[in-house]
Amino acid sequence: MTRIFSGIKPTGHLTLGNYLGAVRRWAEVDQYRADALFSVVDLHALTVEHDPARVRRLSRQAVTLLLAAGLDPGRCTLFVQSHVDEHARLSYLLECTATDGELRRMIQYKEKSAAARAAGQSVRVSLLTYPALMAADILAYETDEVPVGDDQTQHVELTRDLAVRFNQRYGHTFTVPRATPPKVGARVMDLQDPTGKMGKSHENGAGIVYLLDEPDVVRRKVMRAVTDSGREVAYDRENRPGVANLLDVLAACGGGEPAELAGAYTSYGALKRDVAEAVVEVLRPLRERHASLVAEPGYVDAVLREGAERARAVARPVVDRAYRAVGLLPPG
Ligand code: TYM
């Protein structure tokens, strides 16, 4: 059976980008067709300056939102990364497999380290080694497919390279995974800056739709989305990124092809109104289920306990095998 692994990091409130690019498919498709594991990857939230209480709160909120989005613990394994030691154990071996040049080439490292330096902050070593931990997340589960948005495909490519290199050096140990981005919604852009992705750790939330935003907040954000000075609604990602993004979101939420949907509109205002309603409708059940799950903290705890147990049982033998393969003496 196909094995799927994917993760989400609790660095901010989950966004429409996270949902359309990843989470929705996990819930609607992946958990039904494969042996799927999904993780709130909290160790990854420590690579930049962080507030411990906030990470704790966001981790719990992310788990609750994943359940609200439809992840069913009877069909998939849902857990928090730091509850399973194997991730950190394997990460070190992959740091010993990757080169510093390879890690420095990662776009996210370049962007985030530049931003930290510009803000006068130091750069944590873990920001550089982050892709080794992400590779460990994936390889520890003999993963075949990694459903992620476009921004993560470079990390999955690196994971493949590391798996192949490790296997060549030390004998076959890891399954070589591949990224599976969605057809629509793979890159939802910021509504205020449609040349940049909608990211949960941005300072300014005006261009970001959060999954828990009230309907009126969603409407306001969409109605204020930056477009351009043109009038005709056409799908042109290059020259009209704002309108193209709205059409992408409409297609992802309501179905259809972005280029064809464009033909149905004669004004930006009408397009924005439809996008806003489509998003509000997609988020409505999620917000409702989230509210009822918040009232059941014991249930969420039980899901996480069982999820970590199941995840550990899969990862442990794989990571033990990798330890032996590189020459570490097994405990007696
Ligand atoms: P993260 O937490 O930034 O995002 C979680 C998922 O959401 C997708 N995504 C988007 N998709 C479309 N449009 C957007 N604007 C958008 N923003 C985010 C991401 O592509 C991702 O699929 N490094 C990962 C977390 C991770 C992971 C893993 C993922 C750690 N280990 C192992 C897969 C497998 C990250 O920062 O995702």
Side-chain angles (χ1 to χ4, degrees):
M1 194 178 196
T2 304
R3 170 75 53 72
I4 285 182
F5 179 93
S6 203
I8 191 156
K9 63 180 192 296
T11 45
H13 298 286
L14 266 55
T15 71
L16 184 64
N18 296 133
Y19 186 67
L20 298 179
V23 175
R24 182 171 63 171
R25 249 184 333 147
W26 302 352
E28 290 180 0
V29 186
D30 295 333
Q31 66 176 344
Y32 295 103
R33 71 179 180 88
D35 178 9
L37 297 105
F38 302 108
S39 183
V40 172
V41 286
D42 51 353
L43 296 173
H44 287 282
L46 312 185
T47 57
V48 289
E49 268 194 37
H50 74 282
D51 166 12
R54 184 165 187 265
V55 169
R56 213 161 16 239
R57 207 169 49 241
L58 289 173
S59 297
R60 204 173 173 87
Q61 188 190 68
V63 171
T64 313
L65 271 169
L66 293 181
L67 290 168
L71 289 194
D72 173 356
R75 294 198 173 271
C76 68
T77 301
L78 174 59
F79 69 102
V80 169
Q81 181 194 32
S82 64
H83 295 176
V84 179
D85 293 342
E86 272 54 43
H87 295 249
R89 276 180 79 214
L90 182 55
S91 179
Y92 181 69
L93 296 197
L94 296 173
E95 284 178 26
C96 297
T97 308
T99 66
D100 77 316
E102 216 160 36
L103 295 178
R104 284 181 207 287
R105 276 199 295 278
M106 293 294 113
I107 295 165
Q108 284 203 352
Y109 172 69
K110 287 192 198 165
E111 287 179 356
K112 289 193 175 166
S113 59
R117 288 197 179 96
Q121 293 168 356
S122 51
V123 175
R124 295 183 181 181
V125 176
S126 53
L127 188 65
L128 179 64
T129 56
Y130 171 117
L133 178 58
M134 175 159 164
D137 300 338
I138 297 168
L139 298 181
Y141 296 96
E142 304 189 295
T143 302
D144 300 297
E145 294 180 16
V146 190
V148 282
D150 266 357
D151 62 323
Q152 294 300 321
T153 51
Q154 193 189 28
H155 292 152
V156 180
E157 281 305 308
L158 177 69
T159 303
R160 290 171 60 87
D161 291 346
L162 297 180
V164 168
R165 191 176 309 153
F166 192 104
N167 287 346
Q168 275 168 355
R169 276 189 196 155
Y170 308 113
H172 184 81
T173 307
F174 297 125
T175 301
V176 181
R178 64 188 179 91
T180 51
K183 285 197 187 65
V184 280
R187 195 168 180 79
V188 179
M189 308 308 258
D190 189 292
L191 298 175
Q192 288 297 313
D193 170 15
T195 58
K197 80 161 184 178
M198 185 183 280
K200 57 174 128 57
S201 26
H202 286 194
E203 298 279 297
N204 178 357
I208 306 170
V209 174
Y210 296 105
L211 299 187
L212 291 177
D213 277 346
E214 301 278 342
D216 279 347
V217 174
V218 174
R219 291 189 186 102
R220 195 164 60 239
K221 286 177 176 173
V222 174
M223 294 311 287
R224 289 188 187 156
V226 168
T227 47
D228 54 56
S229 52
R231 283 160 146 239
E232 186 199 341
V233 178
Y235 186 69
D236 179 350
R237 267 190 165 249
E238 192 79 352
N239 300 307
R240 296 173 156 199
V243 175
N245 189 37
L246 290 172
L247 288 163
D248 280 338
V249 170
L250 185 62
C253 291
E257 286 292 322
E260 282 169 25
L261 291 170
Y265 293 95
T266 52
S267 80
Y268 290 170
L271 170 63
K272 285 179 174 177
R273 272 191 295 280
D274 281 2
V275 172
E277 290 319 310
V279 174
V280 165
E281 285 317 309
V282 162
L283 299 188
R284 188 187 305 284
L286 225 142
R287 291 181 61 247
E288 287 169 3
R289 284 198 294 263
H290 178 265
S292 49
L293 283 161
V294 167
E296 282 187 86
Y299 171 71
V300 175
D301 287 340
V303 167
L304 290 183
R305 227 175 5 253
E306 197 181 311
E309 238 165 70
R310 267 166 24 200
R312 229 175 270 131
V314 180
R316 190 82 202 244
V318 180
V319 178
D320 282 351
R321 193 165 75 216
Y323 266 55
R324 283 195 298 277
V326 293
L328 297 170
L329 190 64

